[in-house]
Amino acid sequence: MEDLIQKTAEVLTSAKYVVALTGAGISVESGIPPFRGKGGLWEKFDPMEVGHIDSFMKNPARVWKIFMGEMKTILAQAKPNDGHKGLARLEEMGILKTVITQNVDGLHQLAGNTDVIEFHGNFAWLYCMACGKRRRTVDVDLSQIPPRCECGGIFRPDCVFFGEMIPTEALERSQEAASRCDLMLVVGTSAVVQPAAFMPVIARQHGATVIEINPEPTPLTGMTSAFLLQGKAGEIMKKIIARLDETAAAKRRS
Ligand code: OAD
């Protein structure tokens, strides 16, 4: 593992344009459950029942109650962990340019990353399905389910449900970043939901090195990624940053 950390630090230092693709796994150490695997949301709920736009349209109150009510409490308390902070440090060092995230938790922005493409939207904002008015989720009273706008319309979160399109700008900017980068860090995603999972493939096809950070192998492992740093995002990112700091300090001394 130490060899791979060293190798990652070297590739990060020599890369010209680094992009990160993140998924639910990077927020697990912040107390937000992932979707798949042990303890995942989809173990508790059927994704087609709570995560599909058709279910929401059919019965918004039910979806609000069982899924978003729970998420709002979790998200309101979550703070960035060493995984998010590490990516923010990489931007501060001038190494990382863009984060493409599938997460709706806003933790990359809280950690300090300034160019975050929210591929699946976010939970920080809601909008009225009747008049389009936008409101911050924290300002909306969720004791009334489904929450309603002054106009009487129902609020929905500004996130992407199954069955919906990825916002055009997010998709186009992600494709551009993936084709442009020479290194893509893929952190905490099972890489099974498209088209997000295709971004590392685009990067690879354009000659970039792809490095994964995940406790488990994914469909990208051994196919698209050069190697897998196997472990928790927070722990691995902390080691990478420490190695980069050591290298920079040694350079200053010499
Ligand atoms: P998943 O829940 O599918 O995958 C989470 C990944 O994180 C798995 O590969 C885990 O092995 C890994 N993981 C778990 N703990 C970790 C840790 N501490 N550090 C790093 N990795 C860890 O989440 P996503 O890939 O983000 O879509 O799922 C993609 C999309 O599926 C989501 O954006 C969501 C969901 O349905 C929508 O809501 C549209």
Side-chain angles (χ1 to χ4, degrees), residues 65-139:
K65 208 176 278 169
I66 60 178
F67 183 50
M68 289 141 190
E70 174 156 335
M71 283 303 272
K72 194 198 172 206
T73 321
I74 295 169
L75 296 181
Q77 289 157 4
K79 298 206 169 38
N81 63 53
D82 286 335
H84 305 99
K85 289 179 196 165
L87 292 181
R89 269 299 305 283
L90 287 181
E91 179 180 324
E92 208 178 271
M93 291 172 182
I95 294 173
L96 180 69
K97 306 295 185 226
T98 300
V99 178
I100 305 167
T101 188
Q102 298 164 85
N103 301 343
V104 294
D105 55 31
L107 292 182
H108 288 300
Q109 293 92 324
L110 259 184
N113 282 109
T114 58
D115 188 24
V116 181
I117 303 173
E118 292 180 309
F119 208 83
H120 290 154
N122 68 66
F123 261 74
W125 290 88
L126 310 178
Y127 67 87
C128 170
M129 292 197 288
C131 73
K133 182 172 179 191
R134 282 166 64 79
R135 288 271 297 277
R136 285 194 171 277
T137 310
V138 286
D139 297 335

Side-chain angles (χ1 to χ4, degrees), residues 23-25 28-29 34-36 42 102-103 120 160 162 188-191 193 214-216 231-233:
V28 165
E29 288 154 272
F35 296 96
R36 295 168 187 79
W42 297 156
Q102 298 164 85
N103 301 343
H120 290 154
V160 177
F162 283 117
T189 177
S190 56
V193 174
N214 199 311
E216 307 287 341
K232 295 180 177 174

Side-chain angles (χ1 to χ4, degrees), residues 17 19 170-181 199 202:
Y17 202 96
V19 168
L171 183 60
E172 285 177 1
R173 286 209 55 226
S174 300
Q175 285 168 335
E176 191 199 312
S179 347
R180 184 171 172 192
C181 68
M199 298 303 132
I202 296 179

Side-chain angles (χ1 to χ4, degrees), residues 213-230:
I213 302 176
N214 199 311
E216 307 287 341
T218 76
L220 301 172
T221 314
M223 301 286 288
T224 304
S225 60
F227 54 87
L228 166 70
L229 290 162
Q230 196 154 10

